[in-house]
Amino acid sequence: MGAAAWGNQNRYGEFEIVGAREKKPRLMGEGSFGKTYEAVREDVVAGSVIKDFVALKVLNPALLVSESKKLQFVQEMVALTRFKHPNLIHYIRCGEEKGEVFCAMELCRGGDLSRLVKRYGPLPERVAALIGLQVAAGLREMHQRHGLVHRDIKPSNIMLADELPATLARQQLAARLEEQDSICRIVDFGLV
């Protein structure tokens, strides 16, 4: 499959790619491991529609050509299913759709740390320390409870669970991180 031939379906399991019907899928990120889209699952309960928005990662099929790569992906999925910590991304489910492997995870609307730095410039020392504490808490959980090491911690693998208000000033960041000590989520466990 060529680069354009994968990750282009409208639906993966019960998840529909947001914007796919309009031919404008909401691509959140793309890397060597796959493409990540915003997707939605709709359930009808007592006559009402409940929408669950997720980040849906479609794995690059080229990564599944060898047994070692398949094993690495399966290990990542097994690791994700075990994590129940506020500083680790929350797994929802994975599956296959027409030969393409996908994984649905919690949608982090705040973007990654690179986006935070673009918005505010160099972060104050206290803010960096508070982010570091949240990341360290997630890494500690992975290592002590699950015996795993992440091996790829970088700004693009630390997400903010919630969008920060447009009115939040740079000098208010530290207070926000102190009151919300579970806003940072570690993602991308491909190298665990």
Side-chain angles (χ1 to χ4, degrees), residues 21-37:
R21 289 185 202 178
E22 299 81 19
K23 305 290 185 218
K24 295 179 182 179
R26 194 166 303 160
L27 181 67
M28 298 170 57
E30 186 171 358
S32 57
F33 279 95
K35 299 175 184 177
T36 303
Y37 295 95

Side-chain angles (χ1 to χ4, degrees), residues 1 5-12 15 17 27 29-39 55-64 73 95-105:
M1 268 186 218
W6 64 273
N8 297 316
Q9 298 181 51
N10 289 352
R11 293 191 73 82
Y12 289 87
F15 301 98
I17 303 297
L27 181 67
E30 186 171 358
S32 57
F33 279 95
K35 299 175 184 177
T36 303
Y37 295 95
E38 182 175 345
L56 189 120
K57 184 176 190 174
V58 181
L59 197 69
N60 182 342
L63 297 177
L64 297 176
F73 178 73
E96 282 189 55
E97 186 70 33
K98 298 178 185 170
E100 293 182 12
V101 174
F102 67 90
C103 179
M105 297 165 281

